[in-house]
Amino acid sequence: MTKNFFLLYTYLFLTLSVCSQSDESVRIHPIDSKIVNPEEVFYSRILPSLKGKKVMLVTNPSGIGINPEKIRKEFNSNNVTISHLIGLEHGFLGIEEEFSKSPVTIDSIFGLPIYHIYKLSTADLNTIVGETDVIVFDVQGVGMRCYTYLTVLKRLMDASLKKKINFYVLDHVSPSIHLGGRGDFVEKKYLNFAGEFPSPVFTGLTLGEAANFYNAEFLNQSIKLEVVPVSGYKRGQSMESVGVPWHTPSPNLPLLENARNYFSLVFLEGVNVSVGRGTQAPFVYFGAPWMTDPSKLAEEMDKNSNKDYYFTVVYFKPTFGPHTGKICKGLRLNLINVKYDPIKLAYNLISSMKKIYPKEFKWTRWSTVYSIDYLWGNTKFRDSIDKSIEYDSFNLTYKSKEEEYNQKIKKYWLYK
């Protein structure tokens, strides 16, 4: 009896332990997923309704751009013309490290002009948008203001005002949606291509929800907008737990791990270190030739990690960005809890760097403006670190604005 009771107790303990794990530990194969992606709705319902229309297509391999041959075949069979291609930051194939130096190039796949929106004037963008009937926007975002695809969405919506254009957004699950709106807002002086959308640093929205929010709050519902949601998804579910695969939106976010690390390490683009661009681990590795004892930095960061993450020492040689071609000493960010606080991590990491390497550490500039001010949206992040203000006090400078924003955006949620 005692032996049987022990076996039963052990079985129940193990079963309950497995069941109590967070959904991030459960991985569903996409073939078993109950999620219906907007692509299916687009090809079955929307595309046939666009017969005879001219379409401006905004995509890359994170959306329907993953299959150019299918685009060509389906558009032709439905008698729909691709009149314009919009070039996102990393190109139609999502593999370019740098911005195009020309506003218009010829796409090698479709043989059509591709307009690089970040090189176009407002007048030029208005002109080409006016030459089309429909805009189809389908890319993976990360839910951050500084990720330029959100700026592209805003600029295209602005250019669609007072035009009879059908604007379709095929939505995607945002890997940062669980964070809600986080961070401060951008001040007018610091508007830039990597920070133009009227939201905190973390939008708390998918791209489709962001489109609905912007259309209602800033454009008076003037855009004829249809957002096609991800069917079967509930807010806060991890992509792994519902079987949504990660399709690389840019060369430096090849894996979901890179994207989750990006939430915090993108702020290091405001200081004089490499964030691993041009290595096998972008936004996982970071460091610099001057970082002589990275283990000391790792020990300092462990004090406030709450075991959400840890750092290990690495050596790498970036082929792009700061310190190109030089051996960098640094750290690898290893996430344990994917629902960590990325702003707190970034703030404490940069504060610790400045404290440990006071002579070597520098804030970088983009022209006359500090890069971190562009990323954060104002000078408060940098000023607070320079004044050695603790994170909890810094966080209070924007907390009330966060709370007000998070209440406002709830009515635009597509997933509950």
Side-chain angles (χ1 to χ4, degrees):
M1 176 67 76
T2 303
K3 182 178 179 181
N4 289 339
F5 177 80
F6 174 76
L7 290 173
L8 177 62
Y9 175 82
T10 302
Y11 170 78
L12 290 173
F13 174 79
L14 292 173
T15 302
L16 290 172
S17 296
V18 170
C19 292
S20 65
Q21 292 178 19
S22 64
D23 69 347
E24 286 79 17
S25 66
V26 179
R27 293 176 178 264
I28 300 294
H29 194 288
I31 202 169
D32 297 321
S33 177
K34 296 180 181 179
I35 297 293
V36 178
N37 290 312
E39 175 184 345
E40 296 181 36
V41 177
F42 174 74
Y43 281 122
S44 64
R45 176 178 66 81
I46 296 174
L47 188 60
S49 72
L50 303 181
K51 183 177 181 180
K53 302 288 187 180
K54 293 181 293 185
V55 172
M56 174 179 284
L57 186 59
V58 191
T59 189
N60 68 13
S62 68
I64 60 174
I66 198 170
N67 194 338
E69 286 305 315
K70 183 175 183 179
I71 293 174
R72 197 194 318 269
K73 177 184 175 183
E74 295 292 334
F75 274 64
N76 287 341
S77 64
N78 284 282
N79 193 25
V80 179
T81 301
I82 300 175
S83 59
H84 301 82
L85 294 171
I86 290 294
L88 297 157
E89 178 182 349
H90 300 286
F92 187 81
L93 294 178
I95 58 176
E96 304 298 329
E97 281 280 12
E98 296 189 85
F99 290 103
S100 170
K101 292 181 171 59
S102 173
V104 186
T105 57
I106 299 299
D107 174 69
S108 60
I109 297 176
F110 292 96
L112 294 170
I114 183 165
Y115 295 85
H116 303 283
I117 194 169
Y118 44 84
K119 285 285 187 179
L120 297 177
S121 67
T122 300
D124 288 340
L125 183 59
N126 283 333
T127 297
I128 65 168
V129 168
E131 296 169 351
T132 192
D133 304 311
V134 178
I135 295 175
V136 175
F137 187 99
D138 182 21
V139 294
Q140 172 74 56
V142 299
M144 293 189 75
R145 186 182 66 221
C146 62
Y147 203 65
T148 59
Y149 300 169
L150 185 60
T151 296
V152 174
L153 176 64
K154 174 189 174 294
R155 290 189 181 183
L156 287 171
M157 291 182 71
D158 288 340
S160 299
L161 280 172
K162 299 179 181 179
K163 299 181 179 71
K164 296 180 179 179
I165 291 173
N166 292 325
F167 201 122
Y168 294 96
V169 177
L170 310 190
D171 207 13
H172 292 257
V173 176
S174 169
S176 66
I177 199 169
H178 59 279
L179 292 170
R182 296 287 308 279
D184 211 342
F185 289 76
V186 62
E187 295 175 4
K188 187 174 181 179
K189 178 181 176 181
Y190 300 101
L191 290 170
N192 66 99
F193 189 60
E196 208 171 276
F197 197 79
S199 74
V201 177
F202 288 89
T203 67
L205 299 166
T206 65
L207 280 172
E209 292 172 335
N212 281 332
F213 164 75
Y214 188 66
N215 193 29
E217 297 288 334
F218 296 89
L219 302 181
N220 196 30
Q221 296 284 18
S222 298
I223 305 297
K224 191 176 180 182
L225 174 68
E226 180 179 342
V227 176
V228 186
V230 180
S231 178
Y233 177 73
K234 293 182 179 180
R235 201 169 208 85
Q237 290 178 314
S238 70
M239 297 176 77
E240 298 96 328
S241 70
V242 291
V244 176
W246 177 255
H247 292 297
T248 303
S250 60
N252 292 296
L253 300 184
L255 303 172
L256 193 50
E257 177 189 11
N258 303 82
R260 287 172 174 152
N261 284 23
Y262 176 89
F263 301 158
S264 56
L265 296 192
V266 67
F267 294 101
L268 295 188
E269 301 216 88
V271 303
N272 58 330
V273 301
S274 166
V275 290
R277 289 181 182 269
T279 73
Q280 69 270 41
F283 293 103
V284 175
Y285 294 172
F286 63 92
W290 49 260
M291 198 174 286
T292 53
D293 187 7
S295 59
K296 187 175 181 181
L297 179 60
E299 290 169 8
E300 182 72 17
M301 289 301 297
D302 282 344
K303 296 175 184 177
N304 295 305
S305 71
N306 197 34
K307 296 184 179 179
D308 285 344
Y309 47 81
Y310 66 94
F311 296 91
T312 48
V313 174
V314 292
Y315 293 82
F316 61 94
K317 185 188 289 186
T319 60
F320 183 77
H323 309 301
T324 294
K326 298 178 181 178
I327 295 176
C328 294
K329 290 163 282 189
L331 297 173
R332 173 187 176 124
L333 170 59
N334 305 278
L335 292 182
I336 299 298
N337 177 12
V338 299
K339 294 185 177 179
Y340 76 113
D341 184 338
I343 297 177
K344 182 177 181 179
L345 189 158
Y347 188 88
N348 288 338
L349 179 56
I350 294 174
S351 297
S352 297
M353 276 186 195
K354 191 172 188 292
K355 181 174 73 173
I356 295 171
Y357 301 102
K359 293 182 180 179
E360 296 84 0
F361 174 93
K362 289 182 176 59
W363 298 105
T364 58
R365 291 178 184 266
W366 181 260
S367 186
T368 60
V369 177
Y370 284 104
S371 303
I372 192 67
D373 298 348
Y374 275 143
L375 285 164
W376 185 251
N378 55 58
T379 66
K380 294 174 187 175
F381 189 99
R382 176 174 54 85
D383 288 344
S384 297
I385 288 177
D386 284 345
K387 293 174 183 176
S388 300
I389 294 172
E390 294 293 319
Y391 171 76
D392 289 343
S393 297
F394 165 68
N395 180 242
L396 293 176
T397 64
Y398 55 87
K399 198 69 178 175
S400 61
K401 287 184 282 186
E402 269 185 0
E403 292 170 354
E404 181 182 352
Y405 170 83
N406 279 310
Q407 285 301 314
K408 179 184 290 187
I409 63 173
K410 282 184 179 179
K411 59 185 170 184
Y412 303 107
W413 286 2
L414 295 171
Y415 315 98
K416 299 177 182 178

